Amino acid sequence: MPGVSPFRTTLLRAAAGALAGLLAAFTALAVSELVAGLLRPTAGPVTVVGGAVIDRTPAAVKDFAIRTFGENDKAVLQLGILVVLAAIAMALGMLGLRHRRAAAAGALFFGIVGAAAALNRPDSTGTGDALPSLAGGVAGAFALGFLVSRAAPVAAGGESGGAGWSRRGFLTAAAVTTVAATSAGALGRFLVNRQGRGAVASRDALVLPAPASPAAAVPAGAQLKVPGISSFTTPNRDFYRVDTALVVPRVDAGTWRLRIHGTGVARPRAYSFDQLLARPLIERDITLTCVSNEVGGPYIGNARWLGVPLAALLAECGVRPPSKGGSADQLVARSVDGMTLGSPVEDVMDGRDAMLAVGMNGEPLPFEHGFPVRMLVPGLYGYVSACKWISDIEVTTFDAYDPYWVRRKWARRAPIKTQARIDTPKPFARPSAGTVVIAGVAWAQHRGITRVEVRIDDGPWQDADLAVQDTVDTWRQWSRPWRAAPGGHTITVRATDGTGTVQTEERARTIPDGASGRHSVFVTVP
């Protein structure tokens, strides 16, 4: 077109190609969502590729992500995948203006990558899991070819562009593609949500049975009346969540089954959810801790759990711990999403309140915390005990099988370390001079806390006042008044557990078996 500068023509060309690439990627994702909604929601490309990224990420990087982004780590990963996909899509779109077949092949390649990721997921159900990504790749390649063929006239810079569609025609094609892709994506989202309705309905209809062995009331003195201290019982909405599930599984309790099998099982069995509920249930207060919890970190919570005693269920299947002649020493719990966690059989059957939990703080488990059933073993970090959405228990040996985290260099055995945390005052707080109450929580599940001490700067250790202990499987609150003088001060805390072991001052990372060291905060008194 006369009067159109080459620079403007180049910009128009790049913009048209980039837009074509973005719309093609959007189309690919929308069609993938639709096919996943028809087949299996968790087989969508973002989910399977994200899962593959998580599986192949070094443990130190995962730990950094949890430490930096907390429970938003999965959202950050998904956003990162979409940003990378968008950048590649724009590049393919601009490539397609000159090399249409190469660009279409690139789109198909990403569909193949998604299909390969789907087939290699631990929860893959077969070749059908590849279809969402493959269908998306084909749709994306077609959409890209369709749009770049209409973008060529824009490259010529003319309103009519000579042969082919006009610029207005390209924008019309882009609008039609957007509407079609949005419709496919919306239908796919509807189908995905519909598949989860049975799970939601089964949870909504569930009335938890009364426990045969109820927990005692929490002692009145277990919760200190100190502003800023953690609640003794953590509400479900505030309970930490650390797992690898990009999409929270929604399992229908009516169709759920638990299989118990393996070399250490004399009588393999399968149980339905109703069969578990018909058994005598126990109710216990238990504090859970994530191995990714840094010294003084937030990934710990205490709840009242309702569930089936796991040791009794295993004994019914003929399982014996090694101390009683059993041939297997590891219990491998598998989740519906393919996650595997390994627990020592000896610990599960030594008399502690290990359970298959169905209730949390008086209600059915939230989906985020494992509905319909999750496993708990007091005294062990979650990655070796707290399998959510459990569907399979294999009784085997540590020599025969390495679960998910062990294959990533975490320890096979991981009892929770003795720790204490300062909840108040907060780091870098500026409390007024005078009496300041220092308070927090300490934990050493299955051993209990018998002493907590506080030190100001380099002064002597001084005993804190302990709240009433609920059980050895729960955390314990503590407090100590401090006569705060003006200036900067470092407050440090340490705990002693029921075995007499004092919390170590030696600093250790969370990898391979949990962080150690003593929590401290720096405050300034004006």
Side-chain angles (χ1 to χ4, degrees):
M1 173 181 285
V4 177
S5 69
F7 178 72
R8 183 166 179 262
T9 299
T10 301
L11 285 181
L12 286 172
R13 184 180 185 85
L19 179 59
L22 285 174
L23 290 177
F26 178 47
T27 301
L29 291 176
V31 171
S32 297
E33 178 88 351
L34 174 58
V35 177
L38 290 169
L39 300 176
R40 200 165 75 93
T42 54
V46 174
T47 300
V48 297
V49 171
V53 171
I54 290 174
D55 291 348
R56 289 160 178 78
T57 299
V61 177
K62 287 182 184 177
D63 202 49
F64 168 79
I66 293 172
R67 186 169 63 250
T68 304
F69 302 113
E71 296 182 20
N72 296 316
D73 59 334
K74 286 170 278 293
V76 171
L77 171 61
Q78 290 176 310
L79 178 61
I81 291 173
L82 292 175
V83 168
V84 171
L85 178 61
I88 294 173
M90 288 190 290
L92 286 175
M94 288 185 282
L95 174 67
L97 294 173
R98 291 184 178 273
H99 305 286
R100 195 176 305 171
R101 290 182 180 178
L108 285 172
F109 173 76
F110 279 97
I112 294 171
V113 169
L119 294 176
N120 283 282
R121 295 296 302 146
D123 62 335
S124 175
T125 59
T127 56
D129 286 350
L131 293 179
S133 293
L134 291 177
V138 171
F142 176 81
L144 184 60
F146 170 68
L147 289 167
V148 296
S149 68
R150 270 63 180 176
V154 178
E159 185 65 32
S160 65
W165 280 31
S166 66
R167 187 183 309 164
R168 184 177 299 170
F170 167 72
L171 295 177
T172 301
V176 170
T177 302
T178 301
V179 171
T182 301
S183 299
L187 179 57
R189 178 51 49 186
F190 170 79
L191 293 173
V192 168
N193 291 337
R194 187 177 67 176
Q195 289 199 23
R197 288 178 184 172
V200 173
S202 68
R203 184 180 183 276
D204 290 345
L206 177 60
V207 177
L208 294 173
S213 174
V218 174
Q223 176 69 61
L224 298 179
K225 297 180 180 179
V226 178
I229 198 170
S230 300
S231 173
F232 179 78
T233 299
T234 309
N236 291 355
R237 66 180 180 277
D238 298 329
F239 210 94
Y240 76 92
R241 178 197 165 202
V242 177
D243 53 54
T244 63
L246 286 174
V247 176
V248 174
R250 296 195 171 234
V251 182
D252 189 330
T255 60
W256 176 88
R257 295 293 183 272
L258 173 69
R259 179 186 176 213
I260 300 179
H261 63 105
T263 57
V265 178
R267 296 178 292 276
R269 294 192 177 180
Y271 297 88
S272 69
F273 188 67
D274 286 341
Q275 286 174 322
L276 288 190
L277 292 184
R279 300 177 68 90
L281 304 183
I282 60 173
E283 182 183 58
R284 298 290 185 267
D285 294 326
I286 300 173
T287 299
L288 301 188
T289 310
C290 180
V291 73
S292 294
N293 199 41
E294 297 280 351
V295 173
Y299 301 124
I300 179 170
N302 184 63
R304 176 157 289 194
W305 306 92
L306 176 72
V308 176
L310 183 53
L313 204 65
L314 294 174
E316 187 176 275
C317 295
V319 178
R320 292 182 297 163
S323 62
K324 295 184 179 179
S327 60
D329 59 3
Q330 180 179 210
L331 183 157
V332 177
R334 288 184 173 83
S335 168
V336 297
D337 68 350
M339 172 57 66
T340 55
L341 307 181
S343 309
V345 174
E346 195 69 49
D347 291 352
V348 172
M349 302 186 75
D350 68 358
R352 71 185 73 194
D353 289 317
M355 70 170 78
L356 296 177
V358 297
M360 180 180 183
N361 288 333
E363 65 177 78
L365 290 172
F367 287 108
E368 293 80 3
H369 295 291
F371 181 85
V373 182
R374 72 174 297 171
M375 193 172 98
L376 304 175
V377 184
L380 303 182
Y381 282 117
Y383 85 100
V384 293
S385 67
C387 183
K388 292 187 280 192
W389 315 293
I390 189 171
S391 63
D392 185 277
I393 293 176
E394 180 182 1
V395 184
T396 181
T397 65
F398 283 104
D399 290 338
Y401 185 81
D402 285 340
Y404 182 91
W405 291 111
V406 175
R407 295 197 298 270
R408 288 154 180 82
K409 309 305 181 184
W410 293 79
R412 283 190 172 95
R413 302 171 187 264
I416 294 172
K417 297 179 179 180
T418 301
Q419 288 282 304
R421 184 181 73 195
I422 300 168
D423 285 347
T424 183
K426 299 295 184 184
F428 307 112
R430 297 177 63 85
S432 301
T435 301
V436 174
V437 177
I438 305 168
V441 291
W443 60 90
Q445 289 92 312
H446 207 56
R447 302 184 302 279
I449 294 294
T450 58
R451 188 181 190 186
V452 173
E453 300 165 277
V454 175
R455 182 173 66 188
I456 309 298
D457 300 320
D458 294 322
W461 288 102
Q462 304 174 73
D463 282 323
D465 297 320
L466 293 177
V468 176
Q469 177 175 272
D470 184 6
T471 75
V472 295
D473 291 333
T474 63
W475 57 10
R476 193 170 186 180
Q477 298 187 350
W478 56 269
S479 68
R480 180 173 177 83
W482 166 46
R483 189 71 177 175
H489 301 281
T490 299
I491 307 169
T492 307
V493 64
R494 70 180 184 187
T496 301
D497 66 27
T499 69
T501 301
V502 179
Q503 178 181 343
T504 181
E505 64 179 344
E506 182 179 349
R507 301 289 296 192
R509 301 168 58 201
T510 56
I511 303 169
D513 62 354
S516 66
R518 293 170 181 168
H519 188 215
S520 62
V521 298
F522 180 81
V523 300
T524 300
V525 180

